[in-house]
Amino acid sequence: MNKLHQSACAAYAQHLPLVAAAILAQPVTRFAEEAAGLASGESRAETKRTFSSSACRVIARERLLDQMLKARRRRCIVLQGPVGCGKTSLLLAWRESLLLLGFDIAWQTFTAEENDLARCLDGLIASLAQIGVEISNEAALLLERGVNEEAIERIVIALVRGIAQHPNDIALILDDVHCMTNGQNLEALQWLLDFAPSNLHIVLVSRTAVPLSLGRLRAQDLVLELDACDLRFTLEETETFLKAQLGEINPREVRRIHELTDGWVTGLQLFAIRLKRVGQEKAELTSARALSPASLPDARTLDELFEREVFSRLSSLEVTLLISMSVCARLCNSLCIALGGVQQQPADVLALLAKLENENLFITPVMGSSADAGHSGWYSFNPLFREILLGRFRAQSSDAQREVHRAAWIWFRDHDHAEEAVRHALLAGELDTAVQLVRQMAKTLRISGFRKLANLIRLLPADEIHKHIDLRLWMAMLHLYAQNFEACAADIRALQRDIAPDDHSALYQLTVLQVVLGVQQDNVDAVVELVPTLMQVPENADGLMVGSCNNILSWFYAHKGEYEEARRIQTESPKLLVNGAVLLGAAAGMLNGRCLMGFSYSLEGKFVQAERIYRDVLFESKRVGGQASESTSLSSALLGEVLYETNELAAARKLLEDHIDILERVSIPDTVLRVFMTLAAIHWVAGQPQETFAYLARLEEYATRFGLDRLAAASVSEQVCRHLLRGQFDAAQSGLARLDELTARCRAPSTIFSDEIHVAVERAHIHWLLAHEDFNTASSKLRALIALCEARGWQRHWVAFQMQTALIDARLGRLEAARQTVLDVLPRASRLGLVRTLIDAGPTALGLITQVMQSEPPDPILSFYLSRLQAAQLLSEVSEATAATSNATAQRFIEALSEREAKVVSLLAQALPNKKIARTLGISPETVKWHLKNIYGKLGVSSRDEAVARVRDLNFDTAPHAHDAHALG
């Protein structure tokens, strides 16, 4: 602290002890954390505003605002300064300017309670959802499945992808980052900062140094940092502020007040209030007495300040009402009336609120709030003021505190604010009431998503949950959706012991839970055993029960090969209703049921019909919004397989890769299998075998983690086939050994999945035989598979294996047999809408088809079909040639570069200017120019822009040198 500041503080402390104490008291710096303590389920941005918004209304800080507007498209803006230094007021003004420029704004205020990772991510997701629910749908679904080290990154990536697809720039304001001390929370924020797409601009607001790594962004000039010195009011800003608050004021007084407060906005606000209170009386502002550490005040002094400046101006009933209001982090007229109880007349309550707002007495409208039915918009107390009110509230008797919380929970219950209702019921000591509230609201919250239901259940003590069968059933379902299958199975075993034999509804819900667990674990034997019980739906069943039964049975009959029955269950079912509303979203909803109808068509090989259903469901799911997130994910996953089959490779890749994490985390094994197999095939066609094997390995790892033999067999079988196509016989033989081990350890054959595993294993062995030219044995095995597929109704597989048989016959000179097989295959393949199945049958498949068609009388339908196949083949050849040329060019270019040139190229790909490249590599700008001249020659370009474009075309950032260069950042 400089000498001028010391003397100013000394004078201030002697002559204005209350204001000086408020400014200098250290304990009050915790007001933001405490302000959210009783209502951590409510909006975090609602707990900070009054001093800031008041300042924002009376002064626009053009000096800082101009800097922030110029930096609006940078990756990050950092505001670091002590409490009350004007950070929020500046952000509010900046926000207004950005809205005029077409930006969307999300605001998340952290609290100490949000050191819990789930609550931190939940608040972040909710703040972005206010811009558009589509941004956070996938992240919210992932969060419902629980959080661990792997899930954090997946959730952040889901948010990043959602943001990247948003049409506007987004400014995400993260307030009170200093409250984040949990390492996992900081890791999540760091990933969000590192992965941020170009349309995301993050503002970090903190009282202390931001605990995140900004070095790379600083080196790229992507950060604006404003500290306490920058945030202090200048003398001119102080004068503008005081004139707005007090009218005309002597410039000399302005200067003296500015020196005493050191430009600290909260001090200026408190000073202005005091001068208003004493009617502009001039206080003596000079003193020579030094300020010693012993004289530093504590939080009690702030209480005295508010007593003098606020409470003394109110009646005792008004003060009592203020104290009661402080239990809620946000307020509205009707809530305040309820908190006032019978002692306060509604008109008096409304008059008090109007007085507080009009006289700027530490209450402000909540940013972005809207009026609920029956009451006006929301308000929040200044957190500093609320801290004092809460202190007085805690000093009241226990009975008085419980009465206020009781009024709060009743109001929140009646206005559909579930979490606040339960929280206040618990604070009121009404544990039974809180439990009943959760039980009553559980079903409704399940429809809108598991996250809200999970939050409610977590509020209840574990021993209370254990007393109620329905809550235990919900807890088991939460474990299931979090993929904690062991915990779910343990819950089921305990419930089987404890549910009464005459509790038919609970027993049926338990059956549904067991079957869904069986589906998730690919335990078809458990499903088969429980299907008869599942079909005995209780008479009083609601839409959730009926929908769950319908969807499980559709899945079951589709896998049995009874496709018409799988679809009939959905088409003949009446509308599913829950509390009088149609159940569209959720796993048990009608949209998921239609997806399963499409799935039955896919299993049957009828991709034309499947595509129509998936597209309709996807459209309807997006129209419904967040409640249909599960349907959106399911239809996207299944549609991706169809798009690959019809050779719409780019569309399939975008649909699946943009949502890969969410699809892996929230899908049933069938969809996970199709997603990874489809992406592997897409990359193979694109000439990217490493990506193909990476996706297949990821599928195998998923299958191993959850013990899914069917998925493991499909993955390893595909790896064997791809290795053989590349001539990698040792790797293929290793895969065959893994398949044989898998077959040996599989359970006794079931009526469903054993055939799928058998087909996958035999397919790999057939490719091995073909690679070793043992055509007769391969042909024999193919005939057996063709018969199996015909019996099971797997028409797509039937077409693929028949086409392979035709290719073998043609290779062995059995041309008539080959011709007849092709003529048998084509009409069916055309009706099914198959394209890639025929092309992927072998490199000479299309040639054989063309040869056969040319020898036959013209058929308009099959001729048109052949043209589609030829166009798809041509597209694949172009893609492969492009990939091969690009890879070869990139490799030659990399080999031609020196180590230093490679590092320069890597930084060039980031479009960094020469000076930044020089600073990063520790060389002179002239040396950079010399390297660039050589690089231009090797690239065959003449300008910097051409070089940047060419380097990006070559995907240079995947090269080893590029990784070395990135490390320098």
Side-chain angles (χ1 to χ4, degrees):
M1 187 182 294
N2 60 44
K3 292 183 178 179
L4 176 62
H5 192 193
Q6 286 179 334
S7 62
C9 288
Y12 204 9
Q14 181 175 5
H15 292 281
L16 295 172
L18 296 180
V19 178
I23 295 172
L24 298 172
Q26 296 303 308
V28 302
T29 61
R30 59 187 171 87
F31 72 88
E33 293 87 341
E34 184 65 29
L38 290 180
S40 55
E42 300 168 12
S43 172
R44 302 300 185 267
E46 295 165 1
T47 62
K48 293 180 59 180
R49 293 294 184 264
T50 300
F51 285 150
S52 338
S53 70
S54 147
C56 181
R57 288 197 293 268
V58 300
I59 181 172
R61 304 187 68 185
E62 283 83 5
R63 171 179 61 90
L64 298 177
L65 195 57
D66 182 63
Q67 292 184 61
M68 292 186 67
L69 285 174
K70 289 179 179 178
R72 66 186 182 276
R73 297 195 186 278
R74 294 193 189 183
R75 175 78 61 82
C76 181
I77 296 176
V78 178
L79 300 183
Q80 178 190 331
V83 60
C85 64
K87 301 185 292 293
T88 306
S89 63
L90 176 61
L91 287 170
L92 288 170
W94 185 62
R95 172 183 178 272
E96 291 181 7
S97 299
L98 288 189
L99 290 174
L100 295 175
L101 295 172
F103 277 60
D104 288 325
I105 314 296
W107 193 311
Q108 166 69 5
T109 300
F110 295 112
T111 67
E113 287 78 7
E114 287 173 335
N115 264 323
D116 172 73
L117 179 61
R119 295 181 65 84
C120 171
L121 293 174
D122 185 42
L124 188 61
I125 290 169
S127 65
L128 287 165
Q130 293 179 6
I131 294 175
V133 69
E134 70 281 356
I135 294 175
S136 57
N137 268 346
E138 293 186 0
L141 277 175
L142 288 171
L143 183 57
E144 288 176 4
R145 270 63 183 178
V147 288
N148 52 39
E149 291 185 5
E150 180 186 16
I152 301 172
E153 188 171 9
R154 293 180 183 274
I155 291 170
V156 172
I157 290 173
L159 276 178
V160 166
R161 286 177 172 155
I163 292 167
Q165 293 175 0
H166 189 67
N168 300 335
D169 284 75
I170 294 175
L172 173 60
I173 299 170
L174 302 178
D175 205 352
D176 284 349
V177 175
H178 58 271
C179 293
M180 294 290 95
T181 57
N182 182 303
Q184 288 183 313
N185 290 344
L186 295 176
E187 186 175 30
L189 295 184
Q190 186 70 57
W191 273 329
L192 184 62
L193 197 63
D194 292 343
F195 299 164
S198 60
N199 66 326
L200 176 61
H201 316 285
I202 300 174
V203 182
L204 302 172
V205 187
S206 177
R207 297 181 196 166
T208 61
V210 174
L212 299 172
S213 174
L214 301 175
R216 185 178 184 81
L217 297 181
R218 290 187 181 112
Q220 297 172 0
D221 197 25
L222 295 177
V223 184
L224 170 66
E225 297 179 84
L226 300 175
D227 61 14
C229 293
D230 300 307
L231 292 169
R232 290 173 186 156
F233 271 39
T234 64
L235 179 60
E236 292 74 21
E237 289 169 340
T238 297
E239 182 176 9
T240 302
F241 176 83
L242 291 175
K243 283 183 177 180
Q245 291 282 329
L246 306 171
E248 287 299 319
I249 183 170
N250 188 298
R252 183 179 177 186
E253 289 294 323
V254 170
R255 179 176 292 277
R256 296 172 76 182
I257 293 173
H258 178 73
E259 291 175 352
L260 291 172
T261 60
D262 200 22
W264 190 51
V265 63
T266 301
L268 294 172
Q269 177 77 3
L270 292 171
F271 211 118
I273 291 172
R274 185 178 188 282
L275 290 180
K276 283 181 182 179
R277 180 71 179 87
V278 299
Q280 301 289 342
E281 290 180 2
K282 301 298 186 289
E284 187 65 34
L285 300 176
T286 59
S287 173
R289 192 178 74 175
L291 192 66
S292 66
S295 66
L296 290 175
D298 57 29
R300 290 191 300 273
T301 311
L302 187 61
D303 188 283
E304 296 171 4
L305 170 67
F306 286 119
E307 174 63 41
R308 178 176 176 177
E309 305 298 340
V310 180
F311 301 139
S312 64
R313 303 168 63 179
L314 305 175
S315 69
S316 59
L317 283 178
E318 288 175 326
V319 172
T320 300
L321 176 58
L322 276 180
I323 293 171
S324 298
M325 289 160 55
S326 69
V327 302
C328 300
R330 58 176 182 167
L331 305 160
C332 66
N333 290 350
S334 61
L335 174 57
C336 291
I337 291 171
L339 294 173
V342 297
Q343 298 175 334
Q344 304 276 359
Q345 294 298 316
D348 295 335
V349 174
L350 299 179
L352 174 59
L353 287 171
K355 181 178 182 180
L356 292 171
E357 185 177 13
N358 293 337
E359 298 186 17
N360 195 28
L361 293 178
F362 308 103
I363 194 170
T364 185
V366 172
M367 184 188 65
S369 68
S370 59
D372 289 0
H375 61 80
S376 62
W378 294 94
Y379 300 88
S380 66
F381 283 123
N382 166 262
L384 198 61
F385 186 39
R386 185 173 179 235
E387 162 72 18
I388 298 304
L389 292 172
L390 284 172
R392 296 193 176 197
F393 177 77
R394 298 186 194 102
Q396 294 180 347
S397 68
S398 298
D399 289 342
Q401 292 183 50
R402 285 194 291 268
E403 189 62 30
V404 173
H405 285 300
R406 186 173 191 279
W409 79 249
I410 292 174
W411 188 93
F412 282 120
R413 177 202 62 188
D414 293 344
H415 291 79
D416 297 324
H417 296 280
E419 189 169 347
E420 292 95 330
V422 172
R423 191 179 303 279
H424 283 286
L426 290 170
L427 290 169
E430 301 184 29
L431 179 58
D432 290 342
T433 298
V435 170
Q436 291 306 314
L437 285 172
V438 175
R439 297 175 70 188
Q440 292 166 12
M441 298 173 180
K443 189 174 296 183
T444 301
L445 292 176
R446 166 63 190 100
I447 296 170
S448 61
F450 265 114
R451 181 162 52 94
K452 293 181 180 179
L453 176 58
N455 288 341
L456 275 191
I457 291 180
R458 290 191 189 105
L459 291 174
L460 301 179
D463 57 343
E464 284 299 318
I465 294 173
H466 188 73
K467 295 177 183 177
H468 303 277
I469 294 296
D470 55 343
L471 292 180
R472 290 169 62 185
L473 284 165
W474 287 121
M475 181 61 76
M477 187 64 74
L478 293 177
H479 285 148
L480 175 63
Y481 271 71
Q483 294 185 325
N484 190 348
F485 299 141
E486 290 186 5
C488 180
D491 292 338
I492 289 172
R493 289 192 295 272
L495 285 164
Q496 286 174 323
R497 294 192 303 267
D498 298 342
I499 295 178
D502 59 348
D503 191 347
H504 303 297
S505 177
L507 287 171
Y508 188 78
Q509 292 180 62
L510 183 61
T511 299
V512 170
L513 187 62
Q514 289 175 273
V515 175
V516 175
L517 178 61
V519 171
Q520 289 284 5
Q521 294 184 312
D522 245 15
N523 185 356
V524 71
D525 294 330
V527 176
V528 170
E529 181 181 349
L530 290 167
V531 162
T533 306
L534 185 70
M535 298 176 70
Q536 299 173 12
V537 183
E539 292 183 1
N540 61 345
D542 62 7
L544 276 173
M545 287 189 187
V546 175
S548 297
C549 175
N550 289 346
N551 293 349
I552 292 168
L553 289 176
S554 288
W555 175 90
F556 174 71
Y557 284 117
H559 274 297
K560 281 188 68 178
E562 299 178 27
Y563 306 114
E564 291 298 332
E565 179 64 15
R567 297 189 279 268
R568 184 197 64 77
I569 290 170
Q570 299 296 333
T571 56
E572 295 185 5
S573 173
K575 280 190 175 180
L576 304 177
L577 300 176
V578 177
N579 299 329
V582 177
L583 180 63
L584 289 175
M590 296 172 66
L591 290 175
N592 263 21
R594 286 165 60 189
C595 273
L596 289 167
M597 287 178 61
F599 178 62
S600 72
Y601 280 120
S602 293
L603 285 179
E604 195 175 0
K606 296 180 178 180
F607 281 84
V608 174
Q609 295 90 332
E611 179 179 6
R612 293 168 184 164
I613 292 177
Y614 296 150
R615 287 193 183 278
D616 288 345
V617 172
L618 191 57
F619 173 80
E620 187 69 14
S621 297
K622 290 182 177 179
R623 187 185 66 80
V624 171
Q627 292 188 2
S629 297
E630 293 177 68
S631 305
T632 301
S633 297
L634 182 57
S635 56
S636 297
L638 296 174
L639 178 60
E641 181 185 34
V642 175
L643 293 176
Y644 173 78
E645 180 59 48
T646 56
N647 207 49
E648 299 174 67
L649 304 183
R653 179 174 178 177
K654 178 174 177 55
L655 185 66
L656 298 181
E657 283 196 332
D658 286 353
H659 309 284
I660 183 67
D661 288 332
I662 185 73
L663 294 175
E664 181 180 8
R665 294 280 291 178
V666 307
S667 298
I668 60 176
D670 286 288
T671 51
V672 174
L673 171 62
R674 279 153 180 80
V675 166
F676 283 114
M677 293 290 280
T678 299
L679 285 171
I682 290 171
H683 282 284
W684 185 268
V685 174
Q688 299 166 333
Q690 296 304 319
E691 286 80 358
T692 294
F693 285 108
Y695 276 118
L696 293 174
R698 187 168 168 181
L699 174 60
E700 185 180 3
E701 187 277 330
Y702 177 91
T704 303
R705 189 190 331 152
F706 295 114
L708 307 175
D709 291 339
R710 177 169 62 111
L711 274 63
S715 172
V716 177
S717 174
E718 189 69 12
Q719 291 178 58
V720 169
C721 297
R722 302 298 184 186
H723 283 309
L724 290 170
L725 288 172
R726 303 186 77 195
Q728 298 170 337
F729 290 96
D730 289 342
Q733 190 170 27
S734 173
L736 287 174
R738 297 209 304 279
L739 286 174
D740 292 339
E741 291 175 8
L742 186 151
T743 303
R745 73 167 182 266
C746 280
R747 295 185 291 270
S750 68
T751 57
I752 299 180
F753 290 159
S754 60
D755 286 344
E756 290 190 41
I757 294 173
H758 174 70
V759 168
V761 173
E762 285 296 280
R763 178 172 173 265
H765 281 286
I766 288 168
H767 276 259
W768 176 267
L769 294 169
L770 292 174
H772 290 80
E773 299 188 349
D774 187 351
F775 298 117
N776 290 323
T777 307
S779 183
S780 176
K781 285 182 173 290
L782 279 169
R783 284 194 295 272
L785 289 184
I786 289 167
L788 173 62
C789 292
E790 185 77 357
R792 294 297 306 272
W794 295 339
Q795 298 190 65
R796 183 191 188 190
H797 293 317
W798 181 90
V799 167
F801 293 140
Q802 285 280 37
M803 199 63 218
Q804 279 190 299
T805 300
L807 292 173
I808 291 174
D809 286 339
R811 175 73 180 270
L812 296 177
R814 301 193 289 253
L815 299 182
E816 179 57 28
R819 184 186 72 85
Q820 190 57 53
T821 301
V822 169
L823 291 176
D824 290 341
V825 164
L826 286 183
R828 187 184 296 194
S830 176
R831 289 194 303 272
L832 296 173
L834 303 180
V835 175
R836 291 300 322 180
T837 294
L838 291 178
I839 296 174
D840 294 343
T844 61
L846 187 56
L848 176 59
I849 294 171
T850 303
Q851 181 181 345
V852 171
M853 288 292 295
Q854 288 173 346
S855 66
E856 295 296 313
D859 182 316
I861 294 177
L862 293 183
S863 296
F864 177 73
Y865 181 48
L866 177 60
S867 67
R868 289 181 59 206
L869 296 175
Q870 290 170 336
Q873 176 73 5
L874 179 61
L875 184 63
S876 299
E877 291 172 353
V878 170
S879 177
E880 291 174 5
T882 301
T885 302
S886 178
N887 291 337
T889 303
Q891 187 60 39
R892 288 196 299 271
F893 176 57
I894 292 169
E895 292 171 355
L897 295 175
S898 68
E899 182 177 353
R900 177 55 60 83
E901 286 172 346
K903 294 175 180 178
V904 171
V905 167
S906 178
L907 298 173
L908 181 67
Q910 302 173 43
L912 294 183
N914 289 357
K915 289 183 179 180
K916 289 292 176 61
I917 294 175
R919 189 158 60 245
T920 302
L921 298 179
I923 58 180
S924 71
E926 293 302 318
T927 303
V928 172
K929 291 180 182 178
W930 182 78
H931 283 307
L932 287 176
K933 181 180 179 181
N934 294 333
I935 291 167
Y936 293 170
K938 294 175 182 179
L939 282 171
V941 299
S942 58
S943 71
R944 184 185 187 87
D945 289 342
E946 289 181 55
V948 171
R950 183 67 175 134
V951 167
R952 289 175 175 173
D953 287 342
L954 294 174
N955 292 320
F956 186 77
D957 60 347
T958 63
H961 287 310
H963 288 296
D964 294 339
H966 282 316
L968 296 171

